Amino acid sequence: MSEENKVTLQTALEQGLTEEEFNKACSILGRTPNFTELGVFALMWSEHCSYKSSKYHLKKFPTEGKAVVQGPGENAGVIDIGDGLVAVFKVESHNHPSYVEPYQGAATGVGGILRDVFTMGARPAANLNSLRFGEPGHKKTPHLVKGVVAGIGGYGNCMGIPTVGGEVYFDKSYNGNILVNAFTLGVCGIDEIFKAVASGVGNKVIYAGSRTGRDGIHGAGLLASKAFQEDAEEKRPTVQVGDPFQEKKLLEACLEVMRKKLIVGIQDMGAAGLSSSSLEMAGRAGTGIIMHLDRVPTREAGMTPYELMLSESQERMLIVAEPHMVDKVREVFEKWDLNAVEVGEVTDDGLLKLYMHDELVAEMPAAPLSEEAPVYKRPYSRPSWQSSLANLDLDKIPVPRNFNETFKKMISSANLCSREWVFNQYDSTVGTDTVFEPGYDAALMRVKGHPMGIAISSDCNSRYCYLDPRTGGKLAIIESARNVACTGARPIAFTNCLNFGNPEKPEIMWQFVEAVEGISDAAAALDTPVVSGNVSFYNETGDSGIKPTPTIVMVGVIEDINKAVGMKFVAQGDIIALLGTTRPELGGSEYLELIHGITAGLPPAVDLDRERNLHNLLINLSKEQIINSAHDISDGGLAIAIAECLLTDPVRLGADVKLESELRPDIALFGESQGRVIVSVSPDELNNLRKMAVRYGVECEVIGEVDISKTLNITLNSEKIISADMTDIYKSWSKKFAEIVGE
Amino acid sequence: MKCGVVVFPGSNCDRDTVYAVESAGGEAFYLWHKETNLRGADCIILPGGFAYGDYLRTGAIARFSPIMKSVIDFADKGGLVFGICNGFQVLLESGLLPGAMMINKTLKFLGQDIFIRVEETDTPYTHDYYQGSVLRIPVAHFEGNYYADGDTLNLLEKEERVIFRYCERDGKISEKGNLNGSLNNIAGICSENRRVLGMMPHPERASAPILGKSDGFAMWKSLLKYFGEVA
């Protein structure tokens, strides 16, 4: 075996392993690893690939349910959506690469998650993205926003997969560490799912897709496993470069070999490239793999085994096929002008053996590399400053004198303004399945030839999570589920991307553990298990970490898509009703931060039973076709939610709202109490709405009427406090985002 | 009516187009770009997408595909050829229609619903519309800013070959309604014999009531009627 570089503890430390991990690697091999083997260990045991800090806690998540076909552990999760079909989906982070090189970082994030879904056999049907940027005024923000949005569009648009929704938020905690979480959902027949297994001794291992280059070495895997220092710019060469055209061909070729049943298993080469794809496929099947690295198509001559195993070049797949199918597989890939090269074979010895020109260059046991990967129960403790955050003395916060001004300031603020500037750079209509386009509470996709629809919503309020991570975790689940239920769809399961700071700091680990507990509780109560996801730690630059941001993407199903409920008001004369109750809560609200500059207090309380009842009510209101619209009340509270029901291009309707409340007026208008939805209903259906609300134990209060004034009038306890021309509001609401990016 | 929908590597509206034709009652099948046999198609559709990744100029490589020689022969003999979005760009590159596409004046990808006005109804694709109708229809392109020299533009106008123009909601032709900056607000043009049509907006994406968009449906109905398959 070649010893191109002598490995010592020092080499291992430089590769990111600890001394303990290095010793463990030595004991698994029964000798000191050579340089190539060390590289593979370091990559596979990086935080990004091994989940070593989170694994122990992730066990708390509910993962089972009657609709779950495939839970966590595969490339993506799978749920049964009825009619013999499944939805395959996952969300994944690409935070650090996107900060270093926003266009390519975001683009390859989209490319990676698309591969995760189509490697399972499903044609991708929808992309969503959850984005977090620093303060609007920060010098880097416009550059990062423009690059990330263009990158997401550049990749998804070319692939012909619609980007149908997501979120964009600004907060100063992301100034030095933005978040780019990319989600893809695909659909296929329940009998068409493919798994990433290298089964069948003697079967051939085929490398397919783009050539391997030196890009992305120490990329996603290692870049995502350390906090940023000031040298972020120098890391640019570690970001991969995407080629959506190659991926589009790869998608078609992969689906073709799957549909023709030419292959046994398939896995995309994402983070950790050839290393993780080969080891994971062998590990899952309990087999071994031999690979001849000199047969791997490369972009440049002279690549070493180390470089070949660690490259994160994009648009590549590893395929296992029976020997007599190899030529047929190659034919399909050649039809699409893609490489498909036999590089090795499945063996029965459980070893990954790598050869270079017939010389053995690495030999590692496959299963132990993942199964015996280190697991850390890192210490965690509640930060000393946490209690002081809860202090909020409302008596010291002045009630605004002019609510019209406050309302206008809020609706045209960075976090509440229209995201059209972003969404209009995405192709949201390709595929001709997008029923609710970006801007709705949840995206809604039809499935051609079938009656059902799929609703998708991503959500996380990181301010809530910062103030109380456990409650914040619950809130992310219930709000994403409520958004799905507003369309009439039943929330089925979710995927998550847990974005946190450095887990080696006990206070960050505490945030993580608390958020996981909260997510688990809420998910169990709503019967919505997690089926896939990822953890992104080390979201820090220097010493400052991000606010904890556990992004949840909830997926639901509506049986009859023709009964889906939109969020906008539709007709003059319709009655506006509030489902749920406004409580004396203002902590962690957008209003407090934006108007008073305060981020404090406790987030709104969660009542999981009432929340579940509300969702069931919404689903049945849709089924019985009682209501004309439903919109979740979230950031900015009731006044902003009602305005959002009126913001259409052009504005056609107005609303006359009369509230009776003993609460402070700013709480009544802008408080963010949970479990509330604004619905509109025609007068002759009002009784049916009331009856059904009673049946589900949900408060239902008539608060106004839709009219054609194109004005939002809100009267509180007989005093008119907001009167806003919605055509004017539309202008400031829709133009704000362009201002943020300096256009 | 049989539509042959060409699949270039990178085409991504091929399936949508087949679905739309079929939903209108027509027959549609795929034609692989390496083929040369048009298999008896009555109408060839070049669908949207990013043929060959559009890494050179949009449509610049696709025109050299084996199938394009057959498509050009077909058009020369009076066959119906319909290019949508990237397909329009391929028609321009292959010389079946005059002009060229530049990057949108906004310098950004444009993915949203816009309005176009039906200027001429004497084509096999538009005779089921009323002249002057305003259609709400999606666009999705980075290079849709139509350009042609003055003589060509004059000729297109004189021969009434501008079939669709970008407009405002009420049909007004203005710069405001012309988001990509096309000369003369051109969204679609036809050949001299009016049988080759290219347009940037996507009628196949506006052909289903469930999507809240059906203003493009009459294009497929026009084609069916042209072939005498609908009363």
Side-chain angles (χ1 to χ4, degrees):
Chain A
M1 202 171 297
S2 79
E3 292 286 339
E4 69 264 56
N5 285 312
K6 187 78 184 143
V7 168
T8 62
L9 174 60
Q10 187 54 34
T11 333
L13 295 177
E14 282 162 14
Q15 298 271 321
L17 289 174
T18 64
E19 182 172 359
E20 190 191 347
E21 288 166 352
F22 177 62
N23 291 335
K24 195 165 186 178
C26 294
S27 90
I28 285 175
L29 292 183
R31 59 179 164 81
T32 305
N34 66 26
F35 192 65
T36 302
E37 292 163 340
L38 181 75
V40 174
F41 270 104
L43 201 50
M44 294 301 291
W45 288 2
S46 67
E47 186 64 57
H48 185 82
C49 296
S50 73
Y51 295 85
K52 57 191 171 190
S53 301
S54 58
K55 211 178 221 171
Y56 174 77
H57 299 281
L58 296 178
K59 287 182 197 143
K60 293 170 198 153
F61 281 147
T63 57
E64 283 169 18
K66 64 178 192 300
V68 176
V69 176
Q70 174 66 57
E74 263 287 345
N75 283 300
V78 183
I79 60 167
D80 189 335
I81 59 169
D83 242 22
L85 298 179
V86 294
V88 178
F89 57 92
K90 189 183 181 187
V91 63
E92 200 160 68
S93 60
H94 229 218
N95 304 337
H96 283 176
S98 302
Y99 182 77
V100 175
E101 211 303 291
Y103 185 98
Q104 292 298 345
T108 52
V110 173
I113 196 69
L114 283 166
R115 282 194 303 283
D116 276 335
V117 167
F118 72 74
T119 193
M120 301 281 300
R123 179 178 285 279
N127 287 332
L128 275 85
N129 297 282
S130 178
L131 311 177
R132 298 289 186 283
F133 297 101
E135 290 168 294
H138 189 267
K139 63 180 193 300
K140 278 201 162 180
T141 298
H143 160 72
L144 291 168
V145 172
K146 285 183 192 171
V148 165
V149 169
I152 289 170
Y155 210 100
N157 299 349
C158 182
M159 285 290 289
I161 314 300
T163 302
V164 298
E167 336 159 70
V168 185
Y169 282 105
F170 299 93
D171 184 281
K172 68 170 185 272
S173 77
Y174 307 110
N175 278 354
N177 196 123
I178 62 171
L179 301 184
V180 174
N181 294 176
F183 168 95
T184 294
L185 177 141
V187 176
C188 66
I190 196 161
D191 52 356
E192 292 177 322
I193 301 165
F194 263 84
K195 294 200 177 166
V197 289
S199 55
V201 173
N203 282 345
K204 300 299 180 189
V205 176
I206 300 167
Y207 170 109
S210 293
R211 291 166 180 276
T212 297
R214 288 192 168 104
D215 57 328
I217 292 174
H218 300 167
L222 296 183
L223 197 54
S225 302
K226 267 189 214 156
F228 274 154
Q229 298 306 326
E230 294 308 314
D231 61 351
E233 296 285 322
E234 292 162 24
K235 305 246 192 244
R236 194 167 293 152
T238 61
V239 178
Q240 315 87 319
V241 175
D243 182 348
F245 173 59
Q246 291 299 324
E247 177 129 321
K248 167 68 175 162
K249 294 192 296 175
L250 192 63
L251 160 72
E252 299 300 338
C254 288
L255 289 180
E256 196 171 326
V257 295
M258 293 183 205
R259 294 292 173 269
K260 289 180 174 169
K261 300 191 183 346
L262 304 181
I263 65 173
V264 173
I266 178 165
Q267 160 115 22
D268 83 295
M269 294 186 222
L274 206 46
S275 297
S276 67
S277 54
S278 55
L279 284 163
E280 286 173 14
M281 285 184 88
R284 286 194 190 103
T287 54
I289 281 183
I290 283 178
M291 283 199 295
H292 299 274
L293 294 177
D294 48 287
R295 296 187 199 162
V296 170
T298 56
R299 258 183 245 154
E300 45 204 316
M303 286 185 70
T304 64
Y306 177 89
E307 290 170 329
L308 289 165
M309 290 303 284
L310 268 68
S311 164
E312 289 182 6
S313 289
Q314 297 289 292
E315 294 94 23
R316 303 178 300 160
M317 287 280 181
L318 203 65
I319 292 172
V320 171
E322 291 177 25
H324 67 282
M325 292 296 189
V326 172
D327 284 342
K328 288 180 184 157
V329 171
R330 193 182 303 127
E331 270 169 35
V332 170
F333 279 87
E334 277 171 3
K335 172 184 154 192
W336 290 98
D337 300 320
L338 290 168
N339 293 302
V341 181
E342 185 188 318
V343 293
E345 194 171 300
V346 178
T347 59
D348 62 358
D349 58 9
L351 296 172
L352 176 68
K353 286 183 175 173
L354 305 175
Y355 291 87
M356 197 77 182
H357 303 294
D358 295 327
E359 183 193 352
L360 186 65
V361 293
E363 182 177 317
M364 291 165 280
L369 224 91
S370 44
E371 278 162 22
E372 289 175 35
V375 174
Y376 294 126
K377 286 192 206 173
R378 294 199 187 276
Y380 56 92
S381 60
R382 191 166 194 264
S384 52
W385 39 263
Q386 193 73 34
S387 300
S388 64
L389 288 178
N391 293 335
L392 177 65
D393 184 357
L394 282 184
D395 292 340
K396 290 191 181 141
I397 294 165
V399 176
R401 262 177 271 167
N402 183 338
F403 275 99
N404 248 343
E405 288 306 311
T406 309
F407 168 74
K408 283 178 188 167
K409 188 170 176 191
M410 286 182 67
I411 193 101
S412 55
S413 68
N415 281 337
L416 298 176
C417 72
S418 167
R419 268 68 183 123
E420 263 171 47
W421 184 92
V422 176
F423 296 144
N424 285 352
Q425 294 183 60
Y426 300 153
D427 189 343
S428 59
T429 52
V430 64
T432 61
D433 290 326
T434 316
V435 177
F436 290 172
E437 291 175 22
Y440 278 79
D441 286 342
L444 184 68
M445 308 301 296
R446 72 165 166 175
V447 184
K448 290 187 184 100
H450 299 273
M452 85 290 275
I454 303 169
I456 313 162
S457 172
S458 76
D459 197 79
C460 178
N461 184 318
S462 62
R463 201 183 304 125
Y464 294 167
C465 294
Y466 171 65
L467 296 172
D468 177 355
R470 183 180 293 241
T471 305
K474 287 182 193 174
L475 287 164
I477 289 285
I478 64 172
E479 191 183 333
S480 57
R482 194 188 314 132
N483 284 334
V484 164
C486 277
T487 68
R490 179 173 296 286
I492 303 282
F494 71 98
T495 177
N496 60 9
C497 190
L498 308 174
N499 307 276
F500 288 80
N502 180 351
E504 295 161 42
K505 295 180 182 171
E507 66 272 22
I508 300 289
M509 203 58 209
W510 178 82
Q511 292 178 330
F512 179 78
V513 173
E514 285 287 302
V516 167
E517 295 276 2
I519 290 169
S520 303
D521 287 352
L526 298 185
D527 198 17
T528 51
V530 64
V531 294
S532 58
N534 100 313
V535 179
S536 172
F537 280 128
Y538 299 98
N539 288 292
E540 303 201 351
T541 297
D543 266 342
S544 66
I546 59 162
K547 288 196 173 112
T549 315
T551 303
I552 303 294
V553 187
M554 185 68 72
V555 175
V557 174
I558 182 168
E559 287 166 24
D560 179 356
I561 197 160
N562 292 304
K563 293 183 177 174
V565 177
M567 67 175 267
K568 305 284 182 186
F569 292 149
V570 293
Q572 172 192 10
D574 276 3
I575 307 292
I576 303 169
L578 168 67
L579 304 180
T581 312
T582 309
R583 287 183 289 260
E585 295 170 314
L586 210 49
S589 63
E590 190 69 36
Y591 161 79
L592 263 192
E593 179 158 312
L594 186 71
I595 304 297
H596 300 285
I598 296 170
T599 305
L602 289 173
V606 178
D607 184 331
L608 293 170
D609 288 335
R610 290 167 82 96
E611 194 69 43
R612 194 176 49 220
N613 290 341
L614 173 67
H615 301 177
N616 284 330
L617 170 62
L618 288 163
I619 292 160
N620 279 288
L621 288 171
S622 145
K623 204 176 271 175
E624 304 289 331
Q625 297 189 274
I626 291 172
I627 53 173
N628 291 336
S629 73
H631 180 36
D632 154 63
I633 298 179
S634 60
D635 309 359
L638 181 133
I640 298 299
I642 295 177
E644 287 166 349
C645 296
L646 293 168
L647 287 165
T648 55
D649 181 19
V651 172
R652 292 178 299 114
L653 297 167
D656 191 15
V657 175
K658 293 188 169 63
L659 302 173
E660 296 290 331
S661 176
E662 290 172 3
L663 298 169
R664 276 171 62 128
D666 48 359
I667 294 181
L669 294 174
F670 306 124
E672 297 177 5
S673 286
Q674 295 294 299
R676 294 184 304 161
V677 170
I678 296 288
V679 297
S680 69
V681 57
S682 70
D684 48 341
E685 289 286 351
L686 180 59
N687 259 335
N688 289 330
L689 169 64
R690 287 186 193 276
K691 273 190 227 158
M692 200 175 274
V694 168
R695 198 188 312 158
Y696 286 93
V698 174
E699 306 82 353
C700 172
E701 183 192 351
V702 169
I703 58 166
E705 192 180 315
V706 179
D707 57 33
I708 51 166
S709 65
K710 301 185 187 178
T711 305
L712 172 60
N713 289 303
I714 301 183
T715 305
L716 179 64
N717 301 331
S718 307
E719 188 191 344
K720 187 179 267 193
I721 55 172
I722 290 180
S723 180
D725 177 332
M726 291 308 290
T727 305
D728 286 346
I729 295 288
Y730 183 87
K731 278 182 202 150
S732 51
W733 175 75
S734 60
K735 279 183 185 154
K736 175 68 182 180
F737 207 99
E739 289 169 21
I740 294 171
V741 296
E743 281 183 4
Chain B
M1 193 252 314
K2 291 187 287 184
C3 287
V5 178
V6 175
V7 182
F8 297 107
S11 292
N12 63 28
C13 303
D14 43 335
R15 297 161 71 248
D16 302 352
T17 306
V18 166
Y19 185 84
V21 170
E22 287 177 347
S23 70
E27 192 187 328
F29 50 82
Y30 299 102
L31 292 170
W32 183 238
H33 69 114
K34 290 175 186 171
E35 291 178 42
T36 51
N37 183 350
L38 303 183
R39 306 210 314 259
D42 300 310
C43 174
I44 300 296
I45 303 181
L46 307 182
F50 289 70
Y52 296 91
D54 281 346
Y55 287 140
L56 181 54
R57 275 189 322 277
T58 53
I61 299 179
R63 61 170 285 215
F64 294 110
S65 267
I67 195 136
M68 280 312 293
K69 194 173 179 310
S70 307
V71 172
I72 291 167
D73 286 348
F74 179 73
D76 287 346
K77 288 176 190 146
L80 264 58
V81 180
F82 180 20
I84 303 166
C85 196
N86 193 231
F88 185 12
Q89 293 159 342
V90 176
L91 290 176
L92 297 176
E93 286 290 335
S94 59
L96 285 175
L97 291 173
M101 288 296 173
M102 301 192 301
I103 288 172
N104 299 338
K105 72 176 178 192
T106 55
L107 307 181
K108 288 200 296 268
F109 189 90
L110 201 56
Q112 63 185 92
D113 287 1
I114 48 89
F115 296 95
I116 54 173
R117 195 172 75 186
V118 181
E119 300 291 278
E120 309 295 340
T121 56
D122 60 341
T123 76
Y125 310 90
T126 55
H127 63 92
D128 210 44
Y129 288 101
Y130 292 106
Q131 196 166 26
S133 297
V134 176
L135 317 182
R136 185 185 179 105
I137 191 165
V139 288
H141 58 249
F142 190 65
E143 290 163 305
N145 182 352
Y146 182 80
Y147 175 84
D149 61 56
D151 289 348
T152 307
L153 273 184
N154 287 339
L155 189 69
L156 286 173
E157 295 290 359
K158 190 174 136 237
E159 295 180 348
E160 296 175 339
R161 286 163 59 188
V162 177
I163 309 303
F164 298 109
R165 262 185 243 274
Y166 299 110
C167 64
E168 293 178 46
R169 179 183 311 275
D170 59 3
K172 189 176 158 200
I173 305 293
S174 67
E175 260 321 283
K176 194 180 158 206
N178 189 21
L179 294 181
N180 58 24
S182 291
L183 287 179
N184 294 22
N185 287 48
I186 286 173
I189 56 173
C190 73
S191 59
E192 204 180 336
N193 69 2
R194 311 192 83 73
R195 296 168 72 81
V196 177
L197 174 73
M199 67 190 293
M200 285 313 289
H202 287 275
E204 81 282 9
R205 299 188 191 181
S207 295
I210 184 75
L211 305 179
K213 294 167 197 181
S214 37
D215 289 356
F217 194 70
M219 295 200 72
W220 320 114
K221 268 176 63 193
S222 293
L223 278 171
L224 283 164
K225 281 186 184 175
Y226 181 80
F227 288 101
E229 290 177 25
V230 180

